[in-house]
Amino acid sequence: MSTTGATADPLAALGSLPGVADSVESVRKAVDRVYGHRIMRRRSTAVTSEAALRGARGSAALSGADWALEEVRRRSDFSGDDEARVVGAALRLTAEAGQLLSIWRQSPLRVLARLHLVAAATNRDEVGRPRQAGEPVDEPLIELAAPEATEVHGRLEGLSELIIAGGSAPALVTAAVVHGEILALRPFTSHNGLVARAAERIVLIGSGLDPKSICPAEVGHAELGRAAYLAALDGYVSGTPEGMAAWIAHCGKAVVLGARESTAVCEALQRGAA
């Protein structure tokens, strides 16, 4: 992660980049609208469950398993082919994310390791820990060169210190940086995209921006498309102010689209159609 200069709160500094404040405000308004929907007073649990399902479907789509929502809803066995395993991993991560909120602020690296363990669902030696020197990365949809293990470990420690220290950065900024840093580093031998998006979800929930987890950013990321996702990631990896701002704005658009998706769910529930 690169920032615009030395500061005691580099995440907060990113909030002052051109256009970021507008993204933060757009996200806040979109989230407030869905939380203010009348159906949320009576059926917020149903909205949360549907948002989780749709978020998992969106995250899986970005990792190469672009299934129809009804297929995800219908299936019970995700142990078959590669796509099925990706969808299963996304569903498990979505369910697990809410259980890790209390640990995140004290030990984000422990949470990331747990997310990878849940996603991989195997007991191989490389699962649940950052990759070591010489270990390959299986993340075929991200073509950026993966940093060396030594750099990965150092930057993960830096990210962990920022999270533990807290600060005044808007939730969107922190979530975008966590998401982007994991994608840029690809710290695990597999499932990094799924883990990055689950970590973004944890930040958005734990920050209080989306405490009921009803605004699935993963839906928005999928709707914006893989090409736009990877182009925005290039901006993050560049470390330039413009690139960082573009990535944060992209993540903001994803949250807004996720909120719009859940607003539609609320409308359907109100009509008795879902």
Side-chain angles (χ1 to χ4, degrees):
M1 181 184 68
S2 175
T3 63
T4 54
T7 174
D9 193 350
L11 293 179
L14 293 175
S16 65
L17 292 174
V20 170
D22 290 340
S23 294
V24 169
E25 181 63 17
S26 294
V27 165
R28 169 53 65 190
K29 288 180 178 178
V31 172
D32 285 349
R33 278 195 296 271
V34 66
Y35 270 86
H37 197 286
R38 59 190 298 179
I39 206 73
M40 287 295 295
R41 293 195 295 271
R42 297 182 289 109
R43 302 193 63 184
S44 64
T45 301
V47 180
T48 295
S49 296
E50 188 64 18
L53 184 71
R54 295 180 185 218
R57 192 218 73 82
S59 190
L62 286 168
S63 287
D66 192 2
W67 287 15
L69 180 63
E70 291 310 314
E71 177 67 9
V72 178
R73 199 190 304 278
R74 181 187 68 81
R75 289 282 285 269
S76 58
D77 180 9
F78 298 96
S79 62
D81 58 20
D82 288 345
E83 286 195 4
R85 286 191 287 272
V86 168
V87 175
L91 288 166
R92 291 192 300 274
L93 285 173
T94 299
E96 187 76 9
Q99 310 303 312
L100 299 172
L101 295 172
S102 63
I103 306 172
W104 175 254
R105 273 300 183 89
Q106 286 72 42
S107 184
L109 297 187
R110 181 179 162 197
V111 169
L112 293 177
R114 174 62 184 169
L115 291 174
H116 186 243
L117 186 66
V118 168
T122 72
N123 58 2
R124 293 195 304 268
D125 177 64
E126 70 272 16
V127 172
R129 61 157 174 80
R131 55 188 168 85
Q132 299 174 356
E135 289 182 331
V137 179
D138 180 16
E139 204 71 39
L141 300 177
I142 299 178
E143 298 179 353
L144 296 168
E148 295 295 330
T150 301
E151 180 181 350
V152 168
H153 285 255
R155 286 173 61 175
L156 280 178
E157 287 293 340
L159 180 64
S160 176
E161 290 170 4
L162 286 175
I163 299 301
I164 293 170
S168 59
L172 171 64
V173 172
T174 303
V177 167
V178 167
H179 185 168
E181 193 72 353
I182 297 169
L183 283 181
L185 294 178
R186 275 143 294 157
F188 303 107
T189 57
S190 64
H191 299 90
N192 291 286
L194 293 173
V195 168
R197 292 183 288 275
E200 179 185 49
R201 172 183 285 268
I202 288 172
V203 174
L204 293 172
I205 299 169
S207 66
L209 176 66
D210 182 19
K212 294 183 183 292
S213 191
I214 60 169
C215 301
E218 306 96 322
V219 169
H221 286 302
E223 185 172 336
L224 290 166
R226 191 178 301 149
Y229 187 65
L230 296 178
L233 177 62
D234 284 343
Y236 179 88
V237 171
S238 75
T240 65
E242 296 80 9
M244 297 292 286
W247 169 251
I248 294 168
H250 185 86
C251 291
K253 291 175 185 175
V255 177
V256 170
L257 289 171
R260 187 180 72 180
E261 183 87 355
S262 286
T263 299
V265 170
C266 288
E267 295 293 330
L269 286 169
Q270 186 167 282
R271 294 191 304 269

